[in-house]
């Protein structure tokens, strides 16, 4: 049985395809997922392909319940920003979500907390939902700075949003040391941070703290999804590697918790 049937917050399972697939592979995976999980209702299923194949993936899952997210967007609506794209463009082609502040963007493209917050705002401006990622590195965890780091990352975003936008935000806690490493946070470690995050949100708006979906990400796979999803404050998963195969992603979507 899926937890979404028993809780107010509908769970989300999102697949972040990163830069892992070519165009044919992306189309094939989208078509195969449309058959495997296209009818699922207990959970919101979202996939995030690379920009050049977004429209093809949107076509491949049209008529199903699967939603399509981008992996990034710019803060501005229009302008001389070669190589970038706006949240408005994403909305226009049929994306419903956009991932902002993934740790790979923070690390390799030097995105600051403030810039990520502006991207979340840009998504709302365009009428799509930001999936905002936060998370500490191994060094930060070992130095006992986890809560300080994720507070700063989260508050930058929360303080930028309006009261109406706040409950619609999706947060993804992704400890950097668990991404693509095969090393998952234990359900207890993840729950501890998720509960802490809900406390931060409550400082801004108590109702929003109950409504916001907080996903866990970092080596989520069929073998560990059930125990993670059993935690009261884990409302879903942002999945990298295990989202690239229909079988494993479908098993994660149909988690048992
Ligand atoms: P992973 O990636 O599941 O491969 O660890 C998660 C992510 O980066 O969103």
């Amino acid at each position: 049985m899926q937890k979404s049937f028993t809780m107010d917050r509908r769970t989300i399972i999102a697949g972040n395809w990163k830069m892992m697939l070519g165009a044919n592979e992306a189309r094939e995976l989208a078509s195969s997922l449309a058959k495997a999980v296209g009818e699922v209702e207990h959970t919101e299923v979202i996939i995030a392909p690379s920009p050049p194949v977004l429209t093809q993936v949107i076509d491949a899952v049209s008529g199903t319940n699967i939603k399509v997210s981008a992996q990034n967007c710019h803060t501005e609506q229009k302008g001389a920003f070669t190589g970038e794209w706006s949240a408005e463009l994403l909305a226009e082609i049929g994306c419903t979500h956009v991932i902002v502040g993934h740790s790979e963007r923070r690390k390799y493209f030097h995105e600051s907390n403030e810039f990520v917050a502006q991207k979340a705002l840009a998504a709302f401006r365009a009428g799509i939902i930001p999936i905002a990622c936060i998370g500490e590195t191994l060094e930060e965890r070992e130095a006992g700075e986890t809560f300080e780091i994720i507070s700063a990352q989260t508050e930058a975003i929360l303080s930028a949003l309006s009261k109406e936008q706040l409950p619609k935000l999706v947060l993804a806690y992704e400890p950097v040391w668990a991404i693509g490493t095969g090393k998952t946070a234990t359900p207890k470690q993840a729950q501890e941070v998720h509960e802490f995050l809900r406390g931060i949100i409550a400082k801004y708006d108590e109702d929003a703290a109950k409504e916001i979906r907080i996903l866990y990400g970092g080596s989520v796979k069929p073998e560990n999804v059930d125990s993670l999803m059993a935690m009261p404050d884990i409302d879903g998963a942002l999945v990298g590697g295990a989202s690239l195969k229909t079988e494993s992603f479908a098993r994660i979507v149909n988690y048992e918790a």
Side-chain angles (χ1 to χ4, degrees):
M1 160 135 126
Q2 272 75 29
K3 154 159 115 174
S4 49
F5 288 142
T6 56
M7 295 187 62
D8 295 341
R9 296 186 294 268
R10 186 160 174 236
T11 55
I12 295 177
I13 302 290
N16 175 9
W17 294 359
K18 307 192 180 184
M19 202 178 76
M20 297 296 193
L21 301 176
N24 288 335
E25 291 168 319
R27 268 194 307 269
E28 278 164 24
L29 181 57
S31 303
S32 148
L33 288 174
K35 292 195 196 92
V37 294
E39 309 274 295
V40 165
E41 286 178 348
H42 56 74
T43 291
E44 267 185 79
V45 180
I46 303 171
I47 51 178
S50 297
V53 293
L54 276 169
T55 48
Q56 296 173 44
V57 166
I58 288 167
D59 286 347
V61 299
S62 87
T64 76
N65 292 340
I66 301 174
K67 295 173 175 161
V68 179
S69 172
Q71 299 173 13
N72 180 36
C73 69
H74 196 266
T75 56
E76 299 296 322
Q77 181 168 358
K78 284 215 165 122
F81 300 104
T82 303
E84 292 290 317
W85 55 91
S86 67
E88 279 77 5
L89 182 149
L90 296 174
E92 194 181 338
I93 64 169
C95 288
T96 53
H97 294 72
V98 58
I99 298 171
V100 297
H102 190 281
S103 62
E104 286 149 18
R105 297 221 49 97
R106 291 178 187 264
K107 179 173 174 196
Y108 301 123
F109 303 96
H110 314 292
E111 294 192 6
S112 68
N113 288 347
E114 290 64 36
F115 195 47
V116 172
Q118 289 307 309
K119 290 185 178 204
L121 263 182
F124 280 121
R125 181 188 67 213
I128 60 176
I129 303 292
I131 302 173
C133 303
I134 50 166
E136 82 287 0
T137 62
L138 185 60
E139 298 73 54
E140 289 160 350
R141 178 161 277 263
E142 286 175 346
E145 293 166 357
T146 298
F147 293 103
E148 198 183 311
I149 294 292
I150 60 172
S151 293
Q153 292 172 335
T154 307
E155 300 227 23
I157 298 162
L158 299 182
S159 61
L161 302 184
S162 71
K163 201 173 159 45
E164 289 67 39
Q165 292 166 341
L166 205 56
K168 300 194 191 112
L169 174 73
V170 176
L171 271 180
Y173 169 54
E174 298 208 306
V176 180
W177 47 272
I179 296 178
T181 57
K183 223 170 145 184
T184 325
T186 63
K188 198 166 157 259
Q189 277 174 323
Q191 168 60 25
E192 186 185 26
V193 173
H194 283 228
E195 198 180 342
F196 175 76
L197 287 169
R198 234 176 265 292
I200 299 181
I201 304 163
K203 287 197 298 182
Y204 291 81
D205 187 327
E206 295 212 0
D207 289 334
K210 293 186 198 122
E211 287 171 53
I212 288 189
R213 269 85 55 86
I214 309 178
L215 317 184
Y216 168 78
S219 299
V220 174
K221 39 194 177 232
E223 298 77 38
N224 59 26
V225 67
D226 299 343
S227 56
L228 287 160
M229 291 301 288
M231 295 293 112
D233 289 299
I234 298 184
D235 307 314
L238 182 53
V239 188
S243 73
L244 300 173
K245 292 265 180 311
T246 302
E247 202 187 11
S248 54
F249 191 61
R251 172 62 184 85
I252 291 170
V253 167
N254 291 306
Y255 67 86
E256 301 265 335

